[in-house]
C-alpha cells in the first residue's frame, strides 16, 4: 500500500469515528482530497485508492492536473480565492466552486457555465471568524448572496463554506451551522456544509459538516 493509500485509510477511519461520536451515519460526510502543491502522480495514487473528490486552490496549478485522472471519473472542486478574470476556466473545468464570495463572481460563473454541462455546484464562502484578512462574505450578507446564486441559471446553490482560524475548535463551526440552519429555515435549498480540514475535522463534523477538505493528512506536509 502506498503512503497516500495508508493516509487515506486513516482519514476515512477518522471520518467514521467522528460521525459515530456525533451520532451521525457513517458515510454522511464527503471527503475532498486537497492536492494543492502536490503533483499529479500523488493525486493518481489517491485515485487508485478509491478517492474520487479532489480539491484545488490555485487555478494554474489545477489546470495542469485536471487531465491526470481518467476523464469523467473524478469530481473537481475549486476551493481557493476566485479572481474574476479566471472564472471561465472554473465554469468550464470544475464540478464545484466552494469559494463564491461576491455577486460578480456568481454572475460570471453563470454566464460562462457551458449549457452542455450539468449546473455548476456552488457554495457561498462565509467569513465566520471576522478577520479582515480572510475572504468570504460577512454572515449577515450570506443570505442575500445565496438568493442571488439560487436565482441564476447554470448554477446550483449547494451550501456554505468556511475556513475558520486554526485552533479555534468548535465555536466558528457552531456559528456556521446556525447560519446554515437559519438560511434553510428561510427556504434556501442548502444541503452542503463545506467545513473541516486536517486538524479540525472532528470539530467540524460534530457541528454538522457534510464535506471536509483534507490535504496534509492525505498527502503530507506542504513545503510551499
Ligand atoms: C489547504 C486547504 C485545505 C486543506 O488543509 P489541510 O490542513 O492541509 O488539510 C482545505 N481547505 C482550503 C480552502 C485550503 O486552502
Amino acid at each position: 500500500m502506498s503512503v497516500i493509500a495508508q493516509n487515506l485509510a486513516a482519514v476515512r477511519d477518522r471520518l467514521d469515528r467522528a460521525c459515530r461520536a456525533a451520532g451521525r451515519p457513517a458515510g454522511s460526510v464527503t471527503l475532498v482530497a486537497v492536492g494543492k502543491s502536490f503533483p499529479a502522480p500523488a493525486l493518481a495514487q489517491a485515485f487508485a485508492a478509491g478517492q474520487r473528490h479532489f480539491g484545488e486552490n490555485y487555478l494554474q496549478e489545477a489546470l495542469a492536473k485536471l487531465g491526470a485522472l481518467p476523464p469523467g471519473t473524478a469530481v473537481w472542486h475549486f476551493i481557493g480565492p476566485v479572481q474574476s478574470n479566471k472564472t471561465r476556466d472554473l465554469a468550464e473545468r470544475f464540478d464545484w466552486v466552494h469559494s463564491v464570495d461576491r455577486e460578480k463572481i456568481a454572475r460570471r460563473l453563470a454566464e460562462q457555465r457551458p449549457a452542455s454541462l450539468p449546473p455548476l455546484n456552488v457554495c457561498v464562502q462565509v467569513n465566520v471568524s471576522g478577520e479582515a484578512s480572510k475572504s468570504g462574505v460577512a454572515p449577515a450578507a450570506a443570505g442575500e448572496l445565496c438568493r442571488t446564486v439560487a436565482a441564476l441559471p447554470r448554477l446550483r446553490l449547494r451550501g456554505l463554506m468556511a475556513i475558520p482560524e486554526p485552533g479555534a475548535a468548535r465555536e466558528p463551526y457552531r456559528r456556521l451551522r446556525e447560519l446554515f440552519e437559519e438560511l434553510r429555515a428561510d427556504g434556501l435549498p442548502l444541503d452542503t456544509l463545506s467545513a473541516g480540514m486536517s486538524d479540525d475535522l472532528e470539530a467540524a463534523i460534530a457541528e454538522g459538516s457534510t464535506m471536509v477538505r483534507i490535504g496534509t493528512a492525505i498527502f503530507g506536509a506542504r513545503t510551499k
Side-chain angles (χ1 to χ4, degrees), residues 34 36 57 79 161 163 197-199 213-217 222:
V34 176
K36 67 172 174 236
N57 288 62
I79 63 174
M161 181 271 230
I163 314 171
M197 316 205 299
S198 292
D199 285 341
R213 309 174 309 266
I214 308 295
T216 310
R222 288 179 291 274

Side-chain angles (χ1 to χ4, degrees), residues 49-135:
Q51 180 62 28
R52 290 296 175 268
H53 290 263
F54 291 88
E56 290 288 336
N57 288 62
Y58 305 107
L59 183 63
Q60 290 314 313
E61 182 192 329
L63 291 176
K65 293 189 233 174
L66 287 170
L69 302 179
T73 52
V75 180
W76 291 96
H77 299 250
F78 190 79
I79 63 174
V82 182
Q83 294 166 268
S84 60
N85 62 344
K86 302 284 175 59
T87 50
R88 184 171 298 280
D89 282 317
L90 298 182
E92 292 180 351
R93 308 291 302 276
F94 282 81
D95 302 290
W96 287 70
V97 177
H98 291 225
S99 39
V100 171
D101 65 356
R102 55 202 192 275
E103 181 177 337
K104 180 183 180 188
I105 298 296
R107 291 197 183 281
R108 289 179 66 94
L109 290 171
E111 280 161 21
Q112 294 168 342
R113 179 67 168 177
S116 58
L117 295 177
L120 181 66
N121 297 292
V122 166
C123 292
V124 164
Q125 185 175 348
V126 183
N127 183 350
V128 280
S129 302
E131 293 155 73
S133 61
K134 286 255 183 66
S135 42

